[in-house]
Every structure is written in C-alpha cells, then in structure tokens.
Amino acid sequence: MRVLVTGGAGFIGSHVVEALAARGHEPVVFDLQENQVTPEVPGRDVRDRDAVSRALSGVDAVCHQAAMVGLGNGFADAAEYVSRNDLGTAVLLGAMADAGVRRLVLAGSMVVYGEGRYACERHGVVRPGPRSSEDLAAGRFEPTCPSCGAALRPGLVGEDAPVDPRNVYATTKLAQEHLAAAWARSTGGAAVSLRYHNVYGPRMPRDTPYAGVASFFRSALARGEAPRVFEDGAQRRDFVHVRDVAAANVAALEAGPGREDGTLAVYNTGSGEPHTVGEMARALADAYGGPDPVVTGEYRLGDVRHITADSSRLRAELGWRAEVGFQEGMKEFAGAPLRGE
C-alpha cells in the first residue's frame, strides 16, 4: 500500500513512516518543516492544494499527522492553529476527493474531551466545568461536583462521551474530526481518528511552547535542572510510547479494505496504564540520574486535571495493544536524543 504521511518528518510521523516500511508498505513523506527534512524530502505545506494534489498521485491512503500541537503561546496563536490544522485538513480532504483517495487515518487527540470522566458518590457521573483561576491559585486543583460540591472520583473516558474542547488546539482537533466525517459522508470513504493520549519517546521536540510535558522534563534534566511539576503533580494522564502510536496507525490503515462506508471511526489510543504527571517526572528523573523533580504549585488555565481514556475498542476491533511498558519507555526516553538537540 502506498501511503501519504503528512507530517512524516516530524515526531510521530517519522515513526509512522518507519512502521509502515517495516510492514512492507510504501510511505510517502509530506512535511512542512524544511529543517526536519532531507534534500530528497523538500518542505511541503498541506495548505498548498497543488503540492498536495501532486503528492496524492498513485496513493492508496493518507495518514494525516501534520498539525500544530500543544497550547502554544496563548490565544494569540489561534489563527495559526486554525490555519494549519483546520484549513490544512480541508485542503487535504478536498484534494483527496478529487484524486479518488478514499482511505484516511487522522491523528486525533484526547484533548477533545476536555476534563475526563468523573463520578460523584451522590449524583453519579457528572461533568465539572472549567476550573477557576481563583481555585487554582488557592491550590484547589481537583474539580468538584457541579451539583453538590463534593469530591469526585476520576475514571476512564469512552469514545462516546460528550466532547468539550477547552483550548484552541483542542477545538481545532475536534474540527478536524468533523471535516473528516463530512468528507467520508460525501465521498463514501473510510476515515479513522486515533485520539492520542500523551505521546512520548525518541525524536520528541525539545522544550518549546508546543512540546509536551515529557519533553519539558527531559530537556530540564539534560540541562542539569530539576523537572518542574505544575499543580501538585497528581494530574492523571496516559503516557503512550510513540512506537505504539505508530503501530496503531498501521493497524488502522491495514483495516481499511471493506470499510469505505462513509463513516468516521474513532478510537482512543493510550497505553491503558494511567500515571500521574508527578510519577512520570519521578520515573524519568530516576532513569536519567536526577535531579529530583520539584512540585511548584504553578498552573496554566486551559489545562485539565485528569484525562485518561478507555482504549479497549481499539484493542478489540483492530487487534492493537500497547507493547512498551511505562518504566521501560521512560528508561529509553531518558537516554534518547530530542529533536533540536
């Protein structure tokens, strides 16, 4: 299968390219970042309709990894996020429709859920609203029941849970899914969105406003500095290794034949082993050899407290499962170079 991988020279995309090649497929790299590509792979912008159309020649499927990620520098980045993520996806899907390419795997994100799943002892499953700056400044980090104010118990989010994007990046990721669903209905194509959890591993970009927390911690350790853990470090996340995410993309692509039914299939893509941010910082620091993490109590508006999702649908329907364990992955990541080092 000949597969166009947008963002194929980036962090996740480069691992997808390797996983496809290892399975005997022919990946075609399409990437904007000129400083991340070789002379044989010139920088290409997914918003450039002519360039995308040329790249789709002879392609059987598209694995769409290209995106502007993270929280960035605040709302000042909103137009750029929408342009790269949503306009870029619309241009790509339009070109796919014209070229007759009917199979798409989209890099989705668990950020579309907003806060995770919570249960109140009295009111059952509830949906807390965004945390206030007053509560965060006072160190009250845990969401409370919107009906009675009681403490809540966090749980796993299923794909059918209501979506509630809490920042610009999350909003653009949800819009990408809506565009993919509209494309599938219009063309009769098959679209899959893999809602990634907190992906980490080799080639992760070093500390920028767009990098994940694992990258910030790893970069701090490389400088001989202590990882700075926000809030109280008890935020629950699912840290999934990039090679496992790449394998999920290949599984979704290989499941394509016979699924050109005009629908969007959504799969949570996580390790299935929730850990706190503090635990991740500790595991990474131990593997690197210190310094020890420091819990700062700092916070960012727009961050969610707990978000861990149920990935059993992906395991059941596509036969995928995470292979890299948490301790093993953190040990490897501690010694792996970051992009830009």
Side-chain angles (χ1 to χ4, degrees), residues 217 229 232-235 239 275-283 293 295:
F217 292 168
V229 180
D232 58 1
Q235 310 94 302
F239 299 99
H275 290 274
T276 68
V277 172
E279 288 172 345
M280 187 271 285
R282 167 57 62 186
V295 177

Side-chain angles (χ1 to χ4, degrees), residues 10-250:
F11 168 42
I12 298 175
S14 64
H15 286 275
V16 172
V17 167
E18 290 179 356
L20 284 166
R23 290 282 295 177
H25 301 295
E26 181 185 356
V28 178
V29 174
F30 189 97
D31 199 288
L32 170 64
Q33 301 299 325
E34 294 183 5
N35 64 337
Q36 295 180 359
V37 294
T38 67
E40 293 76 31
V41 185
R44 298 166 181 170
D45 191 337
V46 75
R47 295 168 292 187
D48 183 337
R49 177 64 175 264
D50 291 339
V52 172
S53 296
R54 288 192 297 271
L56 286 169
S57 177
V59 162
D60 302 300
V62 172
C63 188
H64 186 29
Q65 304 294 317
M68 187 174 180
V69 301
L71 291 180
N73 289 305
F75 207 83
D77 286 336
E80 190 68 11
Y81 272 102
V82 172
S83 177
R84 291 197 186 189
N85 296 354
D86 299 337
L87 175 60
T89 298
V91 169
L92 171 66
L93 294 173
M96 288 175 65
D98 288 347
V101 180
R102 296 291 182 263
R103 293 163 63 185
L104 170 73
V105 174
L106 171 68
S109 176
M110 54 80 188
V111 296
V112 300
Y113 297 118
E115 283 286 356
R117 185 181 189 274
Y118 294 89
C120 171
E121 188 71 24
R122 179 180 175 187
H123 295 98
V125 176
V126 296
R127 291 176 56 77
R131 297 178 296 169
S132 69
S133 56
E134 292 78 13
D135 282 343
L136 292 169
R140 295 187 293 268
F141 302 122
E142 294 289 346
T144 56
C145 177
S147 298
C148 66
L152 299 174
R153 183 177 67 255
L156 300 180
V157 180
E159 288 92 345
D160 297 327
V163 292
D164 184 19
R166 299 282 178 93
N167 54 58
V168 171
Y169 170 63
T171 302
T172 65
K173 296 306 291 183
L174 182 57
Q176 283 185 315
E177 289 193 349
H178 289 317
L179 287 166
W183 167 85
R185 285 192 297 270
S186 174
T187 64
V192 172
S193 177
L194 299 175
R195 288 178 175 169
Y196 300 161
H197 280 259
N198 291 71
V199 186
Y200 74 97
R203 300 178 215 146
M204 197 172 190
R206 61 177 301 172
D207 47 351
T208 76
Y210 309 98
V213 65
S215 170
F216 275 101
F217 292 168
R218 170 65 176 74
S219 296
L221 290 166
R223 296 191 301 269
E225 301 172 2
R228 295 177 59 81
V229 180
F230 279 16
E231 300 186 18
D232 58 1
Q235 310 94 302
R236 286 163 52 93
R237 297 290 189 270
D238 186 327
F239 299 99
V240 59
H241 196 277
V242 66
R243 287 197 300 274
D244 285 329
V245 168
N249 277 271
V250 175

